[in-house]
Amino acid sequence: MNPIVVKPVTEALLHDFTTLCISGSKQPGEVYLRGAREMTDWATAMLRRFGMVGKLAFLDGKPAGILVCRPEPEQQVLRIKCIFVPDEKQTGKGLGKALWLSLLAESRLPHPVFGGKPPRALVVRAFANPAHLTQPVFFRNLGFVEVPGPDTDLLYYPLEPGYVYQPSPEKGYAPSPEDRGCARVRYDPACPHCLFFAEQSRKMLEETVPGIPVTVVNKFQEGETTGQSLELPPCVVNGQPIAATLWDPGFREEAKQAWNSGPS
């Protein structure tokens, strides 16, 4: 077996980068394919703006693992969006760790995005993936620690001695006229799966509240157009953020209540 080779993502590698996550499906549906195209647009913009967007791990000459990241120059940190090995047969072979070690080595070097200095920390929102080793376990094993506060999914790896990461204060959500009398589902184009789950949310809302107008919104495009934070609520019904996720039993009931009692 050939050794693992990790390469930084360039425009020449964008096709492999944006389709690897959906490669495990024998026949990816149109939503996944559209998600891959939108990830390509997002990744192209990140490369041209920051000069980095992630890494690919190759095993036996074929792409097998992916790391997606985005610089956050305003806080001098590098955010890891995900480290993922889509083929379960390739897990346990060191792909994820190879991606991490490559990123860590690069992150210790000065970079123009951070004013000619290294980032102060690496930050990740670790979420559970029942099909693989959960991200919280994976990242904690690498030395990530919890960000002080109630959000236990938010972890960071300090590169600057003594540095403690503090996320930017949330400005809070204020309903816009476009959010009233309808539902808006926002998704992150950095992952093709996010569009799939957004479309599933749209279908569930339409089943729960017949006749409700539902708009599925690309958060990156919305942020570029409006200048708003990309951390807007993922689902808003009639001007009210929905706290429950698509998988929560209370999602439907919360959506009904928001539609019936929210501002209109």
Side-chain angles (χ1 to χ4, degrees), residues 141-190:
N141 286 345
L142 295 176
F144 280 73
V145 295
E146 287 185 14
V147 172
D151 190 348
T152 58
D153 290 339
L154 193 58
L155 309 176
Y156 75 104
Y157 186 100
L159 296 172
E160 180 181 293
Y163 176 73
V164 177
Y165 173 72
Q166 292 286 351
S168 298
E170 295 185 2
K171 296 180 180 179
Y173 166 70
S176 66
E178 292 79 9
D179 285 345
R180 303 179 193 272
C182 65
R184 294 172 71 82
V185 179
R186 297 176 171 93
Y187 67 94
D188 188 341

Side-chain angles (χ1 to χ4, degrees), residues 111-134:
H111 196 285
V113 169
F114 303 108
K117 299 178 181 179
R120 304 183 74 184
L122 301 167
V123 179
V124 66
R125 180 170 296 284
F127 56 89
N129 181 349
H132 302 281
L133 178 68
T134 63

Side-chain angles (χ1 to χ4, degrees), residues 3-262:
I4 297 170
V5 176
V6 177
K7 299 180 181 180
V9 174
T10 62
E11 292 198 30
L13 290 175
L14 278 180
H15 177 75
D16 289 335
F17 183 64
T18 59
T19 58
L20 181 59
C21 281
I22 62 175
S23 62
S25 175
K26 295 181 179 179
Q27 293 182 327
E30 174 54 32
V31 172
Y32 277 115
L33 294 174
R34 180 158 59 94
R37 291 193 294 270
E38 293 195 14
M39 183 181 178
T40 299
D41 293 340
W42 173 82
T44 300
M46 294 299 100
L47 279 173
R48 294 176 181 177
R49 179 182 300 178
F50 300 123
M52 67 169 71
V53 72
K55 293 179 177 289
L56 279 170
F58 292 79
L59 187 63
D60 295 330
K62 298 179 180 179
I66 182 174
L67 183 152
V68 185
C69 62
R70 174 192 168 109
E72 295 184 356
E74 64 280 359
Q75 288 204 284
Q76 296 288 294
V77 299
L78 181 63
R79 183 174 292 269
I80 300 173
K81 306 289 284 186
C82 79
I83 297 179
F84 185 49
V85 177
D87 186 349
E88 290 186 40
K89 296 178 182 178
Q90 305 288 15
T91 59
K93 297 183 178 181
L95 289 160
K97 189 169 184 180
L99 287 162
W100 158 248
L101 290 175
S102 177
L103 181 70
L104 180 61
E106 182 179 335
S107 299
R108 296 190 186 280
L109 302 175
H111 196 285
V113 169
F114 303 108
K117 299 178 181 179
R120 304 183 74 184
L122 301 167
V123 179
V124 66
R125 180 170 296 284
F127 56 89
N129 181 349
H132 302 281
L133 178 68
T134 63
Q135 288 204 32
V137 173
F138 175 79
F139 285 107
R140 283 187 170 91
N141 286 345
L142 295 176
F144 280 73
V145 295
E146 287 185 14
V147 172
D151 190 348
T152 58
D153 290 339
L154 193 58
L155 309 176
Y156 75 104
Y157 186 100
L159 296 172
E160 180 181 293
Y163 176 73
V164 177
Y165 173 72
Q166 292 286 351
S168 298
E170 295 185 2
K171 296 180 180 179
Y173 166 70
S176 66
E178 292 79 9
D179 285 345
R180 303 179 193 272
C182 65
R184 294 172 71 82
V185 179
R186 297 176 171 93
Y187 67 94
D188 188 341
C191 174
H193 295 275
C194 290
L195 177 59
F196 173 79
F197 293 126
E199 289 291 351
Q200 292 297 108
S201 297
R202 177 183 63 79
K203 291 178 181 178
M204 186 173 288
L205 287 168
E206 290 174 342
E207 292 172 358
T208 303
V209 184
I212 184 174
V214 182
T215 303
V216 176
V217 181
N218 179 319
K219 290 202 299 182
F220 173 68
Q221 291 179 348
E222 181 181 42
E224 291 291 283
T225 301
T226 66
Q228 290 179 296
S229 166
L230 298 184
E231 297 302 323
L232 290 169
C235 182
V236 173
V237 175
N238 205 16
Q240 294 191 14
I242 303 301
T245 67
L246 174 65
W247 302 275
D248 292 335
F251 181 83
R252 292 178 183 269
E253 185 58 32
E254 190 176 351
K256 283 182 183 178
Q257 291 179 0
W259 182 251
N260 292 329
S261 62

